Amino acid sequence: QVQLMESGPGLVQPSETLSLTCTVSGFSLTSYNVHWVRQPPGKGLEWMGVMWSGGSTDYNSALKSRLSISRDTSKNQVFLKMNSLQSEDTTTYYCARTGSSYYFDYWGQGVMVTVSS
Amino acid sequence: DIQMTQSPASLSASLGETVTIECRASEDIYNGLAWYQQKPGKSPQLLIYNANSLHTGVPSRFSGSGSGTQYSLKINSLQSEDVASYFCQQYYDYPPFGSGTKLEIK
């Protein structure tokens, strides 16, 4: 069955780099797109970026200068790296899947990241 | 960028009631709209895609409608398990999400 699971540190120091991993199962990264979406506590959803099935990426213009998404298809993993973290980056990070129609049909359970010294 | 205006921001309704949540796009999104339910502490779950198609396993009391720039999610016979936040998402362009509606039971 289709599953996505985020993993990464729960606590990151201000100005440091966040590294998250989305490990997927039940589908191929070369057939589906994997997005990163974040959500501050009690607030709405913010799309961050996408690893397209073909291997290219797109980013939210507001985050583009700090964000990098990559993948390892042999390990069924998609990676997020975001630098220069600040307190406003304290949020839950989700990875989610889309197919050829770009609605999110499966989501990971999310990983909460706190930026604090 | 396409802007999504979702209303209301919060909603309180009685069990058994019918509720409607709306999303308005700043331009035509050609039925490229999905609705999600997010229960507290959980990840969002797909309810409706292509404006009016019910996702597998979603109860039939949920329905979507609309076209062009105006879309709505209707929940018939409100149940206690429907307490959640609801988000619309357009997939004609990015960024995609509406601001959300928090639904509570009166």
Side-chain angles (χ1 to χ4, degrees), chain A residues 35 39 47 94 102 104 107-108, chain B residues 36 38 43-44 89 91 94 96:
Chain A
H35 303 245
Q39 184 177 38
W47 178 77
Y94 296 100
Y102 302 128
F104 301 95
W107 296 69
Chain B
Y36 301 87
Q38 185 179 31
S43 55
Q89 177 229 341
Y91 40 97
Y94 291 93

Side-chain angles (χ1 to χ4, degrees), chain A:
Chain A
Q1 91 244 36
V2 173
Q3 288 188 319
L4 300 93
M5 183 173 296
E6 306 89 347
S7 58
L11 181 65
V12 179
Q13 304 273 341
S15 79
E16 296 289 297
T17 296
L18 172 67
S19 294
L20 297 176
T21 299
C22 176
T23 302
V24 310
S25 59
F27 68 96
S28 171
L29 292 178
T30 58
S31 297
Y32 290 86
N33 317 305
V34 173
H35 303 245
W36 289 94
V37 176
R38 67 179 184 174
Q39 184 177 38
K43 298 199 174 179
L45 299 163
E46 180 184 27
W47 178 77
M48 300 181 71
V50 57
M51 170 60 73
W52 297 109
S53 59
S56 61
T57 53
D58 275 313
Y59 302 106
N60 184 326
S61 57
L63 301 171
K64 189 172 185 176
S65 64
R66 300 197 289 140
L67 187 60
S68 174
I69 298 174
S70 60
R71 72 181 182 183
D72 184 335
T73 55
S74 67
K75 294 184 178 179
N76 295 318
Q77 292 179 325
V78 178
F79 309 104
L80 176 146
K81 287 191 188 304
M82 188 164 69
N83 59 30
S84 305
L85 254 62
Q86 300 301 322
S87 58
E88 50 267 32
D89 297 312
T90 292
T91 182
T92 296
Y93 291 80
Y94 296 100
C95 57
R97 183 185 91 158
T98 66
S100 55
S101 292
Y102 302 128
Y103 52 84
F104 301 95
D105 58 355
Y106 288 92
W107 296 69
Q109 85 285 354
V111 58
M112 177 67 193
V113 174
T114 300
V115 181
S116 175
S117 54

